[in-house]
C-alpha cells in the first residue's frame, strides 16, 4: 500500500500502539479520506501480526475514523462540513454548556493555572506554526474542564466524539485567519469561567464553538 512511512511497533500493547499510529496518520492527513487500509500491507509496515491490525481497525471504526465495507475493505472515513455543522458541533454545545456550568464553581487555582498553561502552549504553537500542537492543546483545554465537572456521562460522550473533533480541529487549523486568535478565544473562556456568571459562561461557550465553526465553513466554501 502506497502511503506514509508508519513507525514499527513493539509487541507490548500492540493493538493500542497500532491504533495510535494509524489514528495519528489519519488526523495529520498522512492517510487521507478514501485511502484503503489493507491488513497485510499494514502488518508489513508496522512490523506486527494481522491480529492487532484487525483489532486496531475495529477500534478506529468505533471512533468514526475508518469505515468498513463488505467488498471494498476498510477505508479512511471523511469528515464532511455537514457532519461538523449538524452533528459534532451541536453535540459539543450540549456537552460543554452543561459540563462548563457544573465545573465553574469547582475549578480551583491549580485548574486555572493548568488552563492558562494550555493557552500559553497555544500561543507558542501559533508562533511556530505547529497545527498538531495547537489542536492537542485545544482539546486538552476542553477535556480538562469537562473532566472537572465530574459528570461521567459527559466525559464518556466527549471521549466518543473526541477523535472526530480532533480530526476536524487539525483539518481546519490552517483555515484560521489568525492562528493567534485560538489562544485569545480560550482566554475569553477562562475569563468567563472565573467570573462565575452562568449566563456569561453559556454565551461564551456558544460563541467559542460557533467562531470555530464559522471559520471552518469559510474555509470549506473557499475550497469548493
Amino acid at each position: 500500500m502506497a502511503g506514509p512511512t508508519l513507525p514499527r511497533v513493539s509487541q507490548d500493547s500492540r493493538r493500542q500502539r497500532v491504533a495510535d499510529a494509524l489514528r495519528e496518520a489519519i488526523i495529520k492527513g498522512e492517510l487521507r479520506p478514501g485511502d484503503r487500509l489493507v491488513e497485510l500491507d499494514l502488518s508489513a509496515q508496522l512490523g506486527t501480526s494481522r491480529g492487532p491490525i484487525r483489532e486496531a481497525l475495529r477500534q478506529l471504526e468505533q471512533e468514526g475514523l475508518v469505515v468498513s465495507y463488505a467488498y471494498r475493505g476498510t477505508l479512511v472515513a471523511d469528515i464532511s462540513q455537514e457532519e461538523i455543522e449538524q452533528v459534532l458541533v451541536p453535540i459539543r454545545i450540549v456537552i460543554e454548556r452543561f459540563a462548563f456550568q457544573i465545573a465553574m464553581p469547582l475549578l480551583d487555582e491549580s485548574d486555572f493555572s493548568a488552563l492558562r498553561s494550555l493557552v500559553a502552549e497555544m500561543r507558542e504553537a501559533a508562533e511556530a506554526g505547529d497545527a498538531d500542537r495547537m489542536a492537542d492543546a485545544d482539546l486538552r483545554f476542553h477535556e480538562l474542564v469537562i473532566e472537572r465537572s465530574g459528570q461521567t456521562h459527559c466525559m464518556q460522550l466527549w471521549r466518543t466524539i473526541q477523535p472526530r473533533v480532533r480530526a476536524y480541529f487539525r483539518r481546519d487549523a490552517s483555515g484560521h485567519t489568525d492562528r493567534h486568535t485560538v489562544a485569545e478565544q480560550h482566554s475569553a473562556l477562562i475569563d468567563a469561567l472565573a467570573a462565575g456568571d452562568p449566563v456569561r459562561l453559556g454565551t461564551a461557550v456558544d460563541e467559542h464553538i460557533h467562531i470555530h465553526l464559522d471559520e471552518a465553513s469559510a474555509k470549506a466554501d473557499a475550497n469548493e
Side-chain angles (χ1 to χ4, degrees), residues 11-75:
Q11 297 301 304
D12 296 331
S13 305
R14 288 174 295 175
R15 187 263 308 161
Q16 191 58 52
R17 290 173 181 266
V18 169
D20 290 345
L22 293 175
R23 186 187 300 106
E24 286 301 304
I26 291 169
I27 288 171
K28 290 180 179 180
E30 296 167 355
L31 288 170
R32 301 181 62 80
D35 283 353
R36 192 161 172 257
L37 302 175
V38 181
E39 288 180 15
L40 187 61
D41 294 337
L42 292 173
S43 176
Q45 286 194 42
L46 294 167
T48 189
S49 63
R50 293 175 65 176
I53 300 291
R54 191 174 303 114
E55 293 169 1
L57 291 176
R58 282 198 208 101
Q59 177 179 336
L60 294 179
E61 186 167 20
Q62 291 174 347
E63 295 177 6
L65 296 178
V66 306
V67 59
S68 295
Y69 298 99
Y71 300 106
R72 294 171 59 194
T74 301
L75 308 178

Side-chain angles (χ1 to χ4, degrees), residues 112-128:
F112 281 108
S113 177
L115 292 172
R116 286 190 289 268
S117 293
L118 288 169
V119 170
E121 189 172 342
M122 292 175 205
R123 291 195 178 98
E124 291 173 5
E127 289 290 340

Side-chain angles (χ1 to χ4, degrees), residues 78-164:
D78 193 10
I79 300 178
S80 68
Q81 191 60 29
E82 183 179 28
E83 179 193 0
I84 293 171
E85 293 177 5
Q86 301 300 322
V87 180
L88 293 175
V89 164
I91 291 174
R92 279 192 65 200
I93 288 175
V94 170
I95 293 172
E96 294 189 37
R97 275 185 67 97
F98 179 72
F100 276 49
Q101 298 276 2
I102 299 295
M104 182 170 58
L106 303 175
L107 296 171
D108 59 24
E109 187 48 46
S110 66
D111 295 321
F112 281 108
S113 177
L115 292 172
R116 286 190 289 268
S117 293
L118 288 169
V119 170
E121 189 172 342
M122 292 175 205
R123 291 195 178 98
E124 291 173 5
E127 289 290 340
D130 190 337
D132 292 320
R133 187 180 176 194
M134 185 181 295
D136 287 342
D138 194 333
L139 278 175
R140 294 204 309 276
F141 182 104
H142 292 270
E143 186 159 318
L144 188 155
V145 180
I146 295 169
E147 186 175 24
R148 292 298 184 270
S149 76
Q151 300 300 302
T152 304
H153 288 97
C154 283
M155 199 70 227
Q156 290 172 337
L157 287 169
W158 168 258
R159 286 178 175 158
T160 298
I161 66 168
Q162 192 254 30
R164 301 283 284 174

